[in-house]
Amino acid sequence: MLKKADILAFGPHPDDVELNIGGILALHAQKKQVVVVDLTEGEMGSNGSVEIRRKESQKAAQILNLKVRENLYIPDGEINPHDLEQQKRVVAAIRRYQPDLVLLPYWEDRHPDHAAASRLIEIAIFKSGLKRYLLDEELPPYRPSRWYYYLQHQHENPNLVVDVSSVYARKMEAIRAYKSQFDPRMGFKTYINQPIFLQKIEARDQYFGAMVGVKYGEGLIFKPPLSIKDLFQL
Ligand SMILES: [Zn+2]
């Protein structure tokens, strides 16, 4: 059964989309069908457990008002763009949801899974459009016309900044749903559960916002040139 999505956002681990495009997702979910597909369950995370993180990601999905959130169960730490089985799972997700727009991680990052996920999804976007690339499931070929990259740890100047000021409280609430990951009182001390980490996310979003004169912004980068009908369309 086909479920059409306006936006399909891929996250290497549950919490990546919240941290980096939680505002964009919440904003568009007010009027559009927004689907999130996480590639892994984040089982290599130092704190929490798969069960806890599963519940946290579903809670965050409700806060963001996502249409569907699903997981491809690729092993955490093992995302590999050249793994044919992983490619198939991502292609199946694209063909299932037929999104107008795909959001994927930027191609450089300190976390190897993030960079690998970017390449894996790029390959899947291409293969998904091939008529002769067949899957076990009967899904028609489909290639989205647009895909934008979101920044994670790597800093770059974005090409597009989306004003997410009106939904920023919701983004932070969705991030806080991952108590096991970001609450400093939970377990083992990590890079991400110290207050400075979320401070950095907020500071970046304020900086991107300031670039376009708004309070909070989330940045995107596009690789293929954008096609527009006239210069006033954007
Ligand atoms: Zn991640």
Side-chain angles (χ1 to χ4, degrees):
M1 194 178 65
L2 294 174
K3 288 177 269 185
K4 180 87 172 76
D6 295 300
I7 297 179
L8 171 57
F10 285 101
H13 312 100
D15 76 12
D16 285 324
V17 296
E18 284 82 356
L19 288 166
N20 303 297
I21 45 169
I24 290 174
L25 300 180
L27 187 72
H28 290 85
Q30 292 171 346
K31 289 183 183 159
K32 305 269 187 193
Q33 309 284 325
V34 179
V35 171
V36 166
V37 170
D38 299 307
L39 301 190
T40 76
E41 291 204 286
E43 65 271 19
M44 295 295 278
S46 306
N47 290 316
S49 64
V50 169
E51 289 71 29
I52 292 171
R53 205 137 168 206
R54 214 174 272 163
K55 281 192 191 125
E56 290 172 341
S57 69
Q58 286 308 329
K59 189 176 170 197
Q62 277 174 7
I63 294 167
L64 295 175
N65 207 17
L66 303 180
K67 179 78 181 159
V68 183
R69 179 176 210 148
E70 67 168 74
N71 202 292
L72 298 186
Y73 306 108
I74 291 169
D76 189 7
E78 303 291 335
I79 296 177
N80 176 359
H82 305 295
D83 182 305
L84 300 182
E85 173 56 31
Q86 295 185 18
Q87 290 178 6
K88 275 187 176 179
R89 290 187 202 180
V90 180
V91 170
I94 294 168
R95 288 185 177 177
R96 232 178 2 256
Y97 293 111
Q98 302 185 8
D100 292 325
L101 172 64
V102 169
L103 298 175
L104 68 160
Y106 185 65
W107 54 89
E108 272 178 47
D109 199 89
R110 68 184 274 278
H111 194 315
D113 264 353
H114 294 175
S118 183
R119 188 67 189 133
L120 173 65
I121 297 156
E122 276 180 345
I123 292 171
I125 287 171
F126 184 81
K127 287 194 167 178
S128 178
L130 298 178
K131 195 168 69 133
R132 290 194 162 142
Y133 183 82
L134 296 174
L135 299 170
D136 307 331
E137 302 169 62
E138 277 185 37
L139 296 166
Y142 181 82
R143 189 175 295 146
S145 51
R146 287 173 293 174
W147 54 98
Y148 300 148
Y149 299 80
Y150 61 85
L151 294 159
Q152 298 200 253
H153 298 292
Q154 179 78 10
H155 177 75
E156 301 287 343
N157 278 335
N159 302 129
L160 287 177
V161 174
V162 182
D163 177 3
V164 294
S165 312
S166 66
V167 290
Y168 206 72
R170 195 171 280 264
K171 166 178 178 157
M172 293 316 276
E173 195 190 339
I175 292 173
R176 280 195 300 271
Y178 293 89
K179 223 172 170 206
S180 71
Q181 302 303 303
F182 302 116
D183 189 327
R185 295 164 300 185
M186 307 294 280
F188 193 73
K189 182 177 172 184
T190 65
Y191 168 64
I192 61 170
N193 73 10
Q194 299 309 298
I196 194 80
F197 179 74
L198 289 184
Q199 212 174 300
K200 185 184 147 199
I201 295 289
E202 191 170 351
R204 178 198 60 183
D205 295 347
Q206 283 171 331
Y207 174 62
F208 285 168
M211 288 172 89
V212 296
V214 301
K215 198 165 180 196
Y216 291 106
E218 286 175 341
L220 297 171
I221 290 184
F222 50 88
K223 211 189 250 187
L226 291 187
S227 158
I228 57 172
K229 296 264 188 273
D230 66 61
L231 290 176
F232 297 95
Q233 197 185 44
L234 274 181

